[in-house]
Amino acid sequence: MSILIKGGRIIDPSQKMDEKANILIENGKVKSFPKTTKKLEQDKKVKVINAKGKVVSPGFVDIHVHLREPGFEHKETISSGCKSAAAGGFTTIVCMPNTNPINDNASVTEYIMLKARTEGIVNVFPIGAITKGEKGESLAQIGEMYEAGCVGVSDDGVPVMNSKVLRHAMEYVQAFDIPVISHAEDINLSGAGVMNEGEVSTQLGLAGIPCASEDIIVSRDITVAELTGARLHICHVSSAGSVRLIKAAKKRGVKVTAEATPHHFTLTDEAVNQYNTNAKMNPPLRTEKDRLAVIQGLKDDTLDAIATDHAPHSEDEKKVEFDLAPFGIIGLETCLPLSLKLVEDKVLSLNKMISKMTNIPSDILKLGKGTLAVGSAADVVIFDPDKEITVDTDMIHSKSTNSPFIGWNLKGKVEHTLVNGKVVFSA
Amino acid sequence: MTFQRKHILGLEELSAEEITLILDTAESMKEVSERDVKKVPALRGVTVCNLFYEPSTRTRSSFEIAEKRLSADVLNFTSSHSSVTKGETLLDTARNLEAMGASVIVIRHPLSGAPWLLANELDSSIINAGDGSHEHPSQALLDLFTIREIKGKIKGLKVVIAGDILHSRVARSNIWGLSKLGAEVRVVGPPTLIPKYLKQTKAKTFYNLDKAIEGADVVMMLRIQMERQDSEYFPSLREYSRFFGLKRDKLKKAKKNVTVMHPGPINRGIELSSDIADDAGSVILDQVSNGIAVRMAMFYLVASARRNQ
């Protein structure tokens, strides 16, 4: 079966392509960009998707997702996470190791890969833990996990606080040319904090996490990356200080990349008012000054990629006292419209926004995705950037609905998502 | 004006007019407490549940007496031997109490925002009896009532709040209440226990008790939580008491007729030297008895607002 996507605006930053054109998909791969389609349309073996007025781009790549399986299947499974991804236009997702058991050895990696192959409808790449049990003490089976399919290492929500252990990890990963991915937080300084430390936390009487908590570890990680020459990727940058530190490090040639999330460039800590646990995440939502710094960081490419940090939690877990609620919000299905807001606000061009969701994140982890080059896997998203949607719990495909954006009216709707030439989502 | 609120969650959300209305209502409630038969039927047929997740004999007793003087049916629920130990969530516990007929729930909880969770999910009226480090509205209202009673006004007074502001719900509620009613609020304590972000409240920050106390009309001492001394907030109780405890000589800087208050229970010799505590004793006990009148007023107004809705 062949698929012809007809008449859309094809934007593929990997090929610097932005034009009204057609794509022909054959055997799961991008075959060509035919100039005329009449003959193909008459061929009964060719399924035609009309993309007139729509944007056609490489399927989005999210390098920061939590799929919760194994261990927390009541929040999300590899299957439901993939459905949520497809509905959000993502064709490739990279999942963090904080499952139960933790993905710190090849057998867990293999389990995830197997489940993803049999039940997943999008491409899934796992991240392995840096240390055994994410305890920050001794290195996990990094080489074996790499062989089994891991594309990077991270202790995720728990930073490696011991700088010597981090140094060894950063030295060791270079044998496999994978990056160390950092959740930058000084856990001692964060203490019992549950939201950003500032006026809002003071008013609400909630313990705060200061920006310095993030800035200190960003600074330390950059320093260790400089010492070792390792590739460092910094997750979900939330503070103006981090943006400044990463910018300076890049300028002097440190191999550091970084990502921003839609919630950090859209919301501030004001969203926590009335103890809204769907606005509880780590790093926490910061102040307007930080939000603007993150946006500026995306604009000047200090922040390379957009990632969601999709972190599903069940409603029961979130409907409790603010201190007791887990950190995290879902993000796969709201990422596109929230990112398009940056385009509407003229912060990013549509091309640049797409690039930060396709080829750039793919390059950071060397996934070989995020492109529509002839011969590559036909992972495609077709979306209408102007169509209005209202985010509601019924339309969410994730098992969890913990989102502060429920009820928001946004622009940007995914119409079709294709993975390896197969339609895996249609609105 | 009439009171329109179904819940009383904190002083931050109340307007100056609403606060004044509560204080005025408390005046007539105080009169009830001075009668031989200290009981009126305002809450007859209403079931009030005191849901206390933190031990507090003083506050709970004060609420209970207020409820009984208004003829409410009272149910006391404390967490120590309750479903909490069986793992039931706060929301489920409260829903059960509501199903049993409680239409007003007074909640005291160690975590900030717990009353908001109930207010957002239940039909009952929620009265905050202290949540985490957030607010303690009934305490602040009784402090305001006591100040107004002694000084005849609140507007223009210089009020010092001293001690652990960072963790104090009493301080937060009082800062809101006092500044809304036009007092000048000064907070003082070791810098580790003063939040860095008080700008929006207009309170002035001091780290030196002598300076803060200059010209003060009222000095409100906060209770120091003994466990804080193990958490690097200050080197020792001895040092705390030396620099931030209130002693006779320090009080000389204040106005001559300065009023010293304390929400109790007092750590004698630490935040207050014993002689001051005993001098201030009458006010501190006034605070306690005014607490009943203020809480009666809170119930009375919330119940009327419920009926009118």
Side-chain angles (χ1 to χ4, degrees), chain A residues 190-202:
Chain A
S190 290
V194 289
M195 69 172 294
N196 180 52
E197 180 179 310
E199 293 196 5
V200 182
S201 69
T202 303

Side-chain angles (χ1 to χ4, degrees), chain A residues 211 214 235-240 242-243 264 283-284 286 290-291 294:
Chain A
C211 284
E214 178 171 319
C235 294
H236 42 48
V237 171
S238 74
S239 73
S242 298
V243 177
H264 288 118
R286 304 286 190 189
D290 298 296
R291 188 182 79 89
V294 168

Side-chain angles (χ1 to χ4, degrees), chain A residues 202-205 275 319 321, chain B residues 12 109 112 121 134 172 200:
Chain A
T202 303
Q203 192 168 319
L204 292 175
Y275 302 93
K319 260 200 183 167
E321 297 88 321
Chain B
E12 191 227 327
H109 199 285
S112 301
E121 299 287 332
H134 180 232
R172 275 182 185 63
Q200 86 278 27

Side-chain angles (χ1 to χ4, degrees), chain A residues 24 34 68 85 149 188 201 223 233 278 319 353 360 397 401 407:
Chain A
L24 181 64
R68 305 298 187 207
N188 297 316
S201 69
T223 307
H233 176 71
N278 279 339
K319 260 200 183 167
M353 182 213 93
I360 293 175
H397 295 71
T401 55

Side-chain angles (χ1 to χ4, degrees), chain B residues 219-278:
Chain B
V219 180
M220 202 180 270
M221 300 306 295
L222 298 175
R223 180 181 159 73
I224 193 80
Q225 312 266 319
M226 290 302 190
E227 63 270 23
R228 304 271 180 241
Q229 65 167 320
D230 299 326
S231 316
E232 309 124 33
Y233 287 104
F234 50 85
S236 66
L237 281 176
R238 182 173 156 269
E239 183 160 323
Y240 181 90
S241 154
R242 194 172 146 205
F243 289 95
F244 302 99
L246 190 60
K247 288 171 214 71
R248 183 67 64 191
D249 59 325
K250 290 196 193 284
L251 261 188
K252 284 185 192 139
K253 298 257 163 70
K255 286 227 177 97
K256 237 184 185 146
N257 59 343
V258 64
T259 304
V260 177
M261 302 175 82
H262 195 290
I266 305 169
N267 296 307
R268 280 178 178 264
I270 296 170
E271 61 258 10
L272 274 188
S273 69
S274 226
D275 57 328
I276 299 179
D278 294 332

Side-chain angles (χ1 to χ4, degrees), chain B residues 132-135 161 164-173 222 228:
Chain B
S133 309
H134 180 232
E135 284 227 40
I161 306 178
D164 181 356
I165 309 292
L166 184 65
H167 300 97
S168 174
R169 52 192 173 212
V170 175
R172 275 182 185 63
S173 287
L222 298 175
R228 304 271 180 241

Side-chain angles (χ1 to χ4, degrees), chain B residues 119-130:
Chain B
N120 287 333
E121 299 287 332
L122 299 184
D123 291 328
S124 306
S125 282
I126 308 300
I127 293 190
N128 183 1

Side-chain angles (χ1 to χ4, degrees), chain A residues 58-73:
Chain A
F60 304 137
V61 176
D62 189 348
I63 55 174
H64 194 157
V65 166
H66 301 263
L67 290 178
R68 305 298 187 207
E69 185 176 2
F72 306 103
E73 288 84 354

